[in-house]
Amino acid sequence: MSANQPTQPELPPTTAIDKPSNYAFEDWFAYPVRVYPHHTDCAGIVWHGNYLTWMEEARVECLRSIGIDYTNLVALGCDLAVVNISLHYHRSLMLGMDVLVKTRMTDVTGVRMNWDYAIVSTDGQQLYTTAKVTLVALDRERGKIMRQLPAAFKDALLKISTLHNN
């Protein structure tokens, strides 16, 4: 690979024998999900778009857990737009399963935020999906990327980055 080519984000290994116990998910925010019929196709397998929905729900709940209510963020004129996503399906989720969507913010650079995700079994023994998402803060009124994050949002994000760096 030449020095000019962009590199792909690194995700955990993808072999079917990998177990989430090989990764340190203990300090990640956990969002429980149950697979209902409307999440699946006629074979009872989760439709791929639902993973993105669950990841967004987990991210919104993670932010809420540190005092950032998404409704208040929108009231400040800020939205978080996905600008990059990398998703790997390790094994299928099926109707009736209970899983945890694990997430954490890995870093904030200016108005850009990077998040990691792992969807794992509730007992932590199976890894179903891994992902990386990059968001930018968007000025809702102008539809353009903000120059800086709203102060209250930036202060709350410091809490989450401090938690993950200790």
Side-chain angles (χ1 to χ4, degrees):
M1 180 180 293
S2 76
N4 294 338
Q5 290 181 328
T7 59
Q8 289 285 31
E10 289 194 25
L11 295 171
T14 60
T15 65
I17 59 172
D18 287 332
K19 294 192 184 281
S21 58
N22 296 338
Y23 313 108
F25 294 134
E26 298 83 33
D27 63 338
W28 294 35
F29 181 83
Y31 178 72
V33 169
R34 174 165 289 152
V35 178
Y36 290 108
H38 65 276
H39 297 136
T40 66
D41 60 19
C42 60
I45 298 171
V46 170
W47 176 68
H48 66 277
N50 284 311
Y51 294 85
L52 300 173
T53 299
W54 294 333
M55 289 167 28
E56 181 174 22
E57 290 171 1
R59 182 174 62 246
V60 168
E61 288 302 314
C62 180
L63 290 171
R64 192 170 67 80
S65 77
I66 61 161
I68 301 172
D69 186 315
Y70 206 90
T71 305
N72 295 339
L73 190 60
V74 169
L76 291 171
C78 180
D79 204 351
L80 300 178
V82 173
V83 294
N84 192 18
I85 190 162
S86 174
L87 197 70
H88 183 84
Y89 301 101
H90 298 267
R91 42 177 71 79
S92 297
L93 286 174
M94 307 294 288
L95 178 62
M97 293 177 76
D98 292 311
V99 293
L100 296 173
V101 180
K102 299 276 200 155
T103 190
R104 68 178 178 173
M105 186 180 64
T106 57
D107 67 315
V108 177
T109 307
V111 295
R112 181 177 297 266
M113 290 152 270
N114 293 307
W115 290 78
D116 285 342
Y117 296 87
I119 299 179
V120 299
S121 58
T122 56
D123 66 3
Q125 297 303 304
Q126 299 293 320
L127 179 63
Y128 295 99
T129 307
T130 51
K132 291 185 175 288
V133 173
T134 302
L135 305 162
V136 294
L138 199 65
D139 181 315
R140 290 178 58 88
E141 186 176 311
R142 298 178 334 141
K144 300 201 180 234
I145 295 174
M146 299 178 106
R147 293 192 182 272
Q148 62 182 352
L149 296 172
F153 185 45
K154 191 185 301 186
D155 291 344
L157 289 179
L158 282 174
K159 290 182 200 175
I160 198 169
S161 64
T162 303
L163 292 173
H164 293 303
N165 292 327
N166 287 335

